[in-house]
C-alpha cells in the first residue's frame, strides 16, 4: 500500500482488518484491541506528508479544490458540488468491539460506503467492484480543479458519456527525475477521449497525437483567488500546448477537444508518472507482449520479446518508450499505450481483482491519490456513480482508435502532423452519433429496421415538399441559408424560415405527419438525412394555412448541402484495436 509517513500503521494491510459479518453477509472494519489508530488513515494534517498536486493540477505543494465562481458568473449545473471542505476523519470503531452492529442510518454522518463501482474510473476506463472504505478519508485523497464551464456540467445516465483522459509529462514525485522534460509545466503528453455509448453496449477511445497541429481557443480559467482570467488562444500550434503552456489547465484541453472533434466533454481525469506506477502495482501488474527485444535507454525499458507482466517503474517505462517500437515516433508509442490500457482494463474487470478485498482497497487508495479530476466528480459518491456507468460495456466492444493524421506538408523536417481528411471528420462523426467501431448492435433489430424503412418508398417531387425550417442549435443564419439553398438550387419552393426552435437539439430532425411520408423521403434524399433523423409524428400548419413538415437544424448541422448521414463503416487507414485482445507490439 502506498502509505506515506503514517508510522506503525503502515505495517498493517488494511484488507486484513475487513471481517465478514455472518449476520449481515457484509464486510466490516474490525480493529485489534491494541490498535492505536485505523490502518486506513484520516485526512493528512499533523505528522503526515501530503501528496503534492498531480500533473497540472495546481500550485506546487498545494492541494486545491474548485474555487467558488466569481459574482455574476453563470450558475453551475444542478449536480455540481459546492467547493469541497476538508473534514476530520470519522470516529473509529471501539477497539475490540464484537457482535452484531446496528444497520447504518441513511444520514450524512454515514461512516462507510459500499463501493459499487468506480475502481476503474480511477484508472481511466471504469469497472465495477465492492469494498467498504472510509468515505471521508478517500474524499480527502482526491485532488480536483474546476472545469471552468468547458464541460457539460456532469454525466447523465440517459445519454452517452465523454471523458477526457490526460497523461502529463510533468515530473512530480520521488524517482521521476529521469522521465519527461526537466522544466515541463505538464503538457498534454498522452490524450485520450473515452466515449461510452448511450445504451452502454460499447465504447470508443480516441487517441489524440500530441504533435497534432490544431487551434487552441480562448480559455476562461478560474484563478487561485476565485477570479476568472481568459488565457488567449493560439492558432496552428501543437495540441499538447493546450495544457500547461501559458498556465492552461485541463479545462482548456477540454475546449480544444470540443473544437477539434465536436464532442463536448462531461469530465476530465489527469494522471502523472506516479499514477502509472502506483495503479499497476495496486492490481498486481498488467500483461503486455513484445514482438521483439526492446532496450531503450531513454525510457529505461529493457525487455526481451514475448509476454510479460509489468508494474511500477517497468510499467512506466513501457508506456513511455517510443524509440524502439514502430517508426520510433509518438504514433508508434500510442499503439503501445493502447495495448497497455486494454490489458489494464481486462485486469481490473477480472475476478482476480474484483473478488480481492486487498486489491480493491489498494486500488481505491492509489486511484484517489494518483489522479486529478474535475470538480464535478470530486467526491467518492460521484466517482462511484460514474464508475458504475463506465463498467457496463464488455471489453470486446471497447475499441481504441487513433485519429487519422499525415505528416505536416508545411515542414521540411517532419516533426508535427495534421488531420487526414476526410477520414478524420468521418471518424469524429461516427463517435458523435454513437456509432460503434465494433460489430456490436447498438439498437434492437426492429428499431434499425424501422429506421431503414422510413427511407423506402415513393418520393414526392421537390416542388410538392412543404417544410418549415427551424434553427435548433446550428450556427446563426443556418435556417435562412438552408431555405435559400432549398428554393434556389433544389426546387423546394414551398419552404419557409420559421425562426428559432424552443429547445436546442443535438441532431437535426424532420418531423412529419402520416400523409407526408413521401415528402419526407424526398427531403431526406436532398439533404442526406438518415432514417434516424426522420421522426413520424404530426404535421403543423405553415404561414399559408396548409399542413407542412418541420425541419429542425441541430448542433450537428454543418451547412446547406452538407450531408448529415453518419458513416456506417470505419474509414480506411484508421488504426484501431479492441481491448479484449493482446497484440504484440512490433
Amino acid at each position: 500500500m502506498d502509505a506515506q509517513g503514517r508510522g506503525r500503521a503502515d505495517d498493517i494491510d488494511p484488507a486484513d482488518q475487513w471481517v465478514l459479518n455472518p449476520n449481515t453477509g457484509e464486510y466490516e472494519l474490525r480493529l485489534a484491541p491494541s490498535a492505536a489508530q485505523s490502518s486506513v488513515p484520516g485526512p493528512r494534517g499533523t505528522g503526515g506528508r501530503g501528496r503534492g498536486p498531480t500533473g497540472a493540477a495546481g500550485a506546487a505543494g498545494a492541494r486545491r479544490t474548485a474555487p467558488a465562481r466569481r459574482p455574476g458568473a453563470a450558475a453551475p449545473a444542478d449536480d455540481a458540488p459546492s467547493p469541497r471542505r476538508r473534514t476530520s476523519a470519522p470516529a473509529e470503531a471501539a477497539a475490540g468491539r464484537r457482535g452484531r452492529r446496528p444497520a447504518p442510518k441513511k444520514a450524512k454522518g454515514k461512516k462507510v460506503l459500499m463501493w459499487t463501482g468506480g475502481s476503474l474510473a480511477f484508472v481511466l476506463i471504469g469497472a465495477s467492484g465492492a469494498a467498504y472504505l472510509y468515505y471521508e478519508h478517500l474524499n480527502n485523497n482526491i485532488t480536483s480543479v474546476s472545469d471552468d464551464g468547458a464541460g457539460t456540467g456532469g454525466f447523465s445516465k440517459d445519454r452517452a458519456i465523454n471523458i477526457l483522459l490526460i497523461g502529463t509529462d510533468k515530473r512530480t514525485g520521488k524517482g521521476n527525475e529521469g522521465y519527461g522534460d526537466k522544466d515541463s509545466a505538464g503538457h498534454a503528453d498522452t490524450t485520450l477521449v473515452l466515449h461510452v455509448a448511450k445504451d452502454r453496449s460499447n465504447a470508443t477511445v480516441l487517441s489524440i497525437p500530441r504533435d497534432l497541429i490544431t487551434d487552441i481557443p480562448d480559455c476562461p480559467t478560474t484563478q487561485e483567488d476565485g477570479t476568472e482570467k481568459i488565457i488567449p488562444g493560439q492558432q496552428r500550434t501543437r495540441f499538447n500546448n493546450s495544457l500547461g503552456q501559458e498556465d492552461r489547465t485541463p479545462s482548456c484541453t477540454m475546449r480544444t477537444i470540443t473544437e477539434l472533434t465536436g464532442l463536448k466533454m462531461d469530465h476530465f481525469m489527469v494522471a502523472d508518472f506516479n499514477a502509472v506506477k502506483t495503479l499497476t502495482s495496486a492490481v498486481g501488474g498488467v500483461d503486455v507482449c513484445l514482438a521483439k527485444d526492446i532496450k531503450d535507454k531513454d525510457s529505461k525499458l529493457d525487455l526481451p520479446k514475448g509476454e510479460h507482466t509489468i508494474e511500477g517503474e517497468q510499467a512506466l517505462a513501457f508506456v513511455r518508450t517510443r524509440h524502439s517500437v514502430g517508426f520510433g515516433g509518438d504514433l508508434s508509442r500510442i499503439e503501445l499505450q493502447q495495448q497497455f490500457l486494454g490489458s489494464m482494463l481486462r485486469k481490473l474487470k477480472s475476478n482476480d481483482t474484483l473478488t480481492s478485498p486487498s486489491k480493491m482497497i489498494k486500488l481505491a487508495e492509489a486511484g484517489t491519490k494518483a489522479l486529478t479530476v474535475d470538480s464535478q466528480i470530486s467526491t467518492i459518491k460521484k466517482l462511484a456513480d460514474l464508475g458504475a456507468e463506465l463498467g457496463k460495456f464488455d471489453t470486446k466492444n471497447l475499441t481504441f482508435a487513433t485519429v487519422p493524421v499525415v505528416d505536416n506538408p508545411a515542414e521540411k523536417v517532419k516533426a508535427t502532423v495534421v488531420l487526414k481528411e476526410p477520414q478524420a471528420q468521418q471518424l469524429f462523426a461516427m463517435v458523435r452519433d454513437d456509432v460503434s467501431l465494433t460489430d456490436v448492435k447498438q439498437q434492437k433489430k426492429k428499431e434499425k429496421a424501422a429506421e431503414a424503412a422510413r427511407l423506402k418508398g415513393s418520393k414526392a417531387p421537390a416542388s410538392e415538399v412543404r417544410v418549415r425550417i427551424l434553427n435548433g442549435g446550428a450556427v446563426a443564419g443556418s435556417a435562412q441559408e438552408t431555405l435559400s439553398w432549398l428554393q434556389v438550387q433544389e426546387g423546394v419552393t414551398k419552404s419557409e424560415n420559421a425562426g428559432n426552435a424552443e429547445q436546442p437539439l443535438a441532431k437535426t430532425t424532420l418531423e412529419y405527419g402520416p400523409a407526408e411520408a413521401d415528402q419526407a423521403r424526398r427531403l431526406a434524399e436532398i439533404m442526406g438525412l438518415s432514417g434516424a433523423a426522420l421522426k413520424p409524428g404530426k404535421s403543423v400548419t405553415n404561414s399559408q394555412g396548409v399542413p407542412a413538415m418541420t425541419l429542425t437544424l441541430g448542433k450537428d448541422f454543418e451547412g446547406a448541402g452538407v450531408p448529415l448521414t453518419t458513416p456506417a463503416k470505419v474509414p480506411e487507414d484508421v488504426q484501431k484495436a479492441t481491448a479484449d485482445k493482446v497484440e504484440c507490439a512490433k
Side-chain angles (χ1 to χ4, degrees), residues 51-293:
R51 184 178 59 90
T54 303
R63 280 186 175 276
R64 58 189 172 106
T65 54
R69 291 182 176 267
R70 60 184 175 84
D78 291 341
D79 60 351
S82 58
R84 183 161 49 81
R85 300 189 301 272
R86 298 295 189 197
T87 59
S88 59
E92 298 175 358
R97 183 175 180 178
R98 294 293 184 268
R100 185 170 184 176
R101 188 170 62 180
K105 296 180 180 179
K106 294 182 178 180
K108 62 182 180 181
K110 184 176 179 181
K111 299 298 188 295
V112 294
L113 172 71
M114 181 174 181
W115 197 262
T116 57
S119 58
L120 185 49
F122 298 138
V123 198
L124 310 181
I125 307 259
S128 52
Y132 292 87
L133 299 171
Y134 274 112
Y135 183 86
E136 292 299 335
H137 163 63
L138 290 182
N139 270 347
N140 192 60
N141 281 347
I142 299 170
T143 299
S144 66
V145 293
S146 176
D147 70 355
D148 298 312
T152 61
F155 76 95
S156 174
K157 294 183 178 181
D158 60 356
R159 57 179 171 80
I161 298 175
N162 295 312
I163 300 178
L164 172 62
L165 312 167
I166 306 173
T168 77
D169 58 359
K170 185 178 180 67
R171 292 182 178 183
T172 55
K174 184 179 179 181
N176 295 323
E177 296 83 1
Y179 298 103
D181 298 328
K182 180 178 180 181
D183 300 317
S184 175
H187 300 100
D189 195 51
T190 298
T191 303
L192 307 167
V193 175
L194 169 63
H195 173 86
V196 182
K198 178 180 178 180
D199 65 3
R200 309 295 187 255
S201 66
N202 66 93
T204 300
V205 174
L206 290 180
S207 293
I208 313 293
R210 66 176 188 177
D211 296 324
L212 173 66
I213 295 299
T214 189
D215 295 336
I216 299 175
D218 292 345
C219 299
T221 307
T222 305
Q223 304 298 296
E224 291 281 355
D225 60 1
T227 61
E228 186 180 87
K229 172 185 176 182
I230 297 181
I231 301 175
Q234 192 173 355
Q235 306 298 306
R236 308 299 297 166
T237 187
R238 274 183 167 89
F239 174 86
N240 71 341
N241 288 332
S242 65
L243 178 66
Q245 203 80 359
E246 307 297 332
D247 293 327
R248 295 187 178 101
T249 66
S251 66
C252 192
T253 307
M254 271 182 136
R255 297 183 195 277
T256 304
I257 287 289
T258 299
E259 289 288 324
L260 178 69
T261 67
L263 290 164
K264 189 154 187 178
M265 299 294 101
D266 295 300
H267 300 289
F268 65 73
M269 296 180 182
V270 183
D272 65 2
F273 295 150
N274 283 330
V276 177
K277 294 193 290 187
T278 59
L279 292 169
T280 52
S281 295
V283 296
V286 297
D287 301 325
V288 297
C289 182
L290 297 175
K292 62 179 181 180
D293 298 345

Side-chain angles (χ1 to χ4, degrees), residues 342 345-346 349 393-399 578-581:
L345 176 60
R346 292 192 300 275
K349 280 179 170 279
F393 59 84
D394 194 308
T395 53
K396 69 181 181 181
N397 295 327
L398 170 63
T399 306
T578 54
D580 62 324
K581 299 176 182 178

Side-chain angles (χ1 to χ4, degrees), residues 343-405:
S343 180
M344 173 72 88
L345 176 60
R346 292 192 300 275
K347 189 62 174 287
L348 286 160
K349 280 179 170 279
S350 70
N351 287 334
D352 183 51
T353 298
L354 298 179
T355 60
S356 170
S358 175
K359 286 185 178 180
M360 293 299 293
I361 291 173
K362 289 178 180 179
L363 184 59
E365 285 284 342
T368 51
K369 292 175 183 175
L371 301 182
T372 295
V373 301
D374 67 88
S375 54
Q376 305 289 351
I377 48 172
S378 61
T379 68
I380 296 301
K381 174 65 168 63
K382 288 183 178 293
L383 282 170
D385 289 345
L386 175 60
E389 291 301 304
L390 300 184
K392 291 180 178 179
F393 59 84
D394 194 308
T395 53
K396 69 181 181 181
N397 295 327
L398 170 63
T399 306
F400 292 97
T402 303
V403 172
V405 294

Side-chain angles (χ1 to χ4, degrees), residues 5-10 12 17 29 31-42 92 134:
R6 296 188 176 100
R8 290 183 302 169
D10 292 346
I12 303 172
Q17 294 183 290
L29 183 66
L31 301 179
S34 60
Q37 63 180 35
S38 168
S39 62
V40 182
E92 298 175 358
Y134 274 112

